């Protein structure tokens, strides 16, 4: 029943095979979506090569560099979508960054530069990319981002990223209110802890995973593909009445009091 055939989907944030963005990409492809993938460019081309090798079997029709701190690259990305596809149906936002030193220690000692960096990459980029996608979603669309429980609860070694994710979840609601009249839906998935390149910067990530396995109703954590399946649902017509929501895909951990 879940069919994304004829839908153009842009996925951001793939770093390697452990990325949640990669799990989402696989499930969008399985549902028949036409894929576009962005990567974070670097001087040596390391990320480009790694991501291209990973996604090549899925035959994305667009493969583009996009650093969301670079206005010209963002514009070039959406210009390429306009020229190649003419319209955009799905935008997947899987972007977050904070300096490692701003994730641990006393939260009150967060640096101004570190705070601004985390909020720009992790929060503002959703607003920015949604604004660029809006004129291309001429037939409606779905925008999806990734959050975490640290947005609503204090999590050890999360600090400034918790503030960034809280801002991200608020942005989901405000964007949903703005874009709803154009039949563009905006939602987020709050995923349980998964061992990824990004989560490796969070101190004690393995302890967090083991804790979820003990406490969550399903007695396990979730996989990238499970998050990907929920994402595909939220990007499909099966979820046509859902917008402005944060869906927890965390084996039920969020409901537990102890």
């Amino acid at each position: 029943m879940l069919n994304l055939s004829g839908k153009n989907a842009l996925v951001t944030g793939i770093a390697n095979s452990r990325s949640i963005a990669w799990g989402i990409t696989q499930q969008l492809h399985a549902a028949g979506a036409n894929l576009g993938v962005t990567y974070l460019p670097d001087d040596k081309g390391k990320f480009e090569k790694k991501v291209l090798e990973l996604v090549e079997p899925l035959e994305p029709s667009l493969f583009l560099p996009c650093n969301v701190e670079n206005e010209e690259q963002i514009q070039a990305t959406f210009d390429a979508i306009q020229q190649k596809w003419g319209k955009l149906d799905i935008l997947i936002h899987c972007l977050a960054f904070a300096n490692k030193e701003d994730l641990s220690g006393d939260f009150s000692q967060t640096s101004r530069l570190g705070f601004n960096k985390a909020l720009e990459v992790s929060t503002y980029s959703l607003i920015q990319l949604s604004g660029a996608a809006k004129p291309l979603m001429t037939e409606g669309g779905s925008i999806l981002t990734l959050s975490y429980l640290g947005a609503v609860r204090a999590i050890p070694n999360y600090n400034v990223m918790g503030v960034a994710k809280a801002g991200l979840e608020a942005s989901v609601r405000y964007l949903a209110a703005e874009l709803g009249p154009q039949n563009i839906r905006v939602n987020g998935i709050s995923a349980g802890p998964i061992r990824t390149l990004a989560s490796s910067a969070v101190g004690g990530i393995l302890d967090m995973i083991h804790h979820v396995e003990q406490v969550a109703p399903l007695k396990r954590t979730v996989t990238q593909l499970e998050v990907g399946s929920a994402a595909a649902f939220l990007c499909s017509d099966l979820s046509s009445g859902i917008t402005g929501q944060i869906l927890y895909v965390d084996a039920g951990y969020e409901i537990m009091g102890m």
Side-chain angles (χ1 to χ4, degrees):
M1 292 177 63
L2 203 163
N3 185 0
L4 297 176
S5 298
K7 303 289 188 182
N8 297 323
L10 180 70
V11 182
T12 66
I14 300 175
N16 57 33
S17 60
R18 287 185 173 181
S19 299
I20 295 177
W22 172 234
I24 294 173
T25 304
Q26 289 175 282
Q27 300 298 64
L28 294 180
H29 176 263
N34 175 41
L35 296 173
V37 172
T38 70
Y39 63 90
L40 181 65
D42 64 288
D43 293 340
K44 296 182 179 179
K46 181 177 67 173
F47 290 131
E48 178 181 7
K49 180 181 179 184
K50 183 179 292 185
V51 177
L52 181 59
E53 289 177 352
L54 185 63
V55 303
E56 207 164 18
L58 305 188
E59 300 181 337
S61 59
L62 284 173
F63 185 74
L64 302 163
C66 188
N67 181 341
V68 291
E69 295 179 280
N70 186 314
E71 298 276 357
E72 292 180 356
Q73 287 185 16
I74 293 174
Q75 186 62 52
T77 295
F78 286 89
D79 285 347
I81 292 172
Q82 173 71 61
Q83 293 167 12
K84 180 80 173 182
W85 293 346
K87 70 178 180 75
L88 180 65
D89 303 291
I90 296 167
L91 171 64
I92 305 295
H93 175 272
C94 299
L95 302 170
F97 178 83
N99 293 323
K100 193 166 185 178
E101 60 268 25
D102 291 317
L103 294 174
S104 58
D106 292 339
F107 176 60
S108 63
Q109 298 306 303
T110 304
S111 67
R112 184 184 299 273
L113 288 176
F115 184 90
N116 290 341
K117 177 89 168 180
L119 271 289
E120 179 180 3
V121 176
S122 311
T123 309
Y124 180 67
S125 62
L126 173 66
I127 302 168
Q128 193 172 29
L129 295 183
S130 297
K134 179 178 177 179
L136 295 178
M137 291 186 161
T138 52
E139 299 177 10
S142 178
I143 298 172
L144 184 74
T145 190
L146 284 179
S147 190
Y148 175 61
L149 186 62
V152 295
R153 299 187 192 173
I155 301 291
N157 301 312
Y158 208 59
N159 284 8
V160 71
M161 188 54 72
V163 176
K165 291 298 188 184
L168 184 74
E169 293 190 4
S171 298
V172 164
R173 293 185 284 273
Y174 280 98
L175 287 168
E178 174 193 340
L179 301 176
Q182 291 182 227
N183 196 32
I184 299 171
R185 299 180 296 108
V186 187
N187 292 291
I189 289 178
S190 185
I194 298 175
R195 194 173 182 183
T196 65
L197 181 63
S199 70
S200 65
V202 179
I205 183 64
L206 292 181
D207 292 336
M208 292 167 65
I209 290 173
H210 293 153
H211 177 69
V212 168
E213 291 170 343
Q214 293 172 346
V215 174
L218 295 182
K219 301 303 179 187
R220 62 178 179 85
T221 188
V222 294
T223 68
Q224 288 89 337
L225 285 178
E226 285 180 312
V227 178
S229 294
F233 161 71
L234 286 173
C235 292
S236 76
D237 292 339
L238 294 179
S239 64
S240 59
I242 301 173
T243 194
Q245 302 302 307
I246 306 297
L247 175 65
Y248 284 88
V249 182
D250 64 351
Y253 179 78
E254 184 268 340
I255 71 168
M256 302 303 292
M258 293 181 67

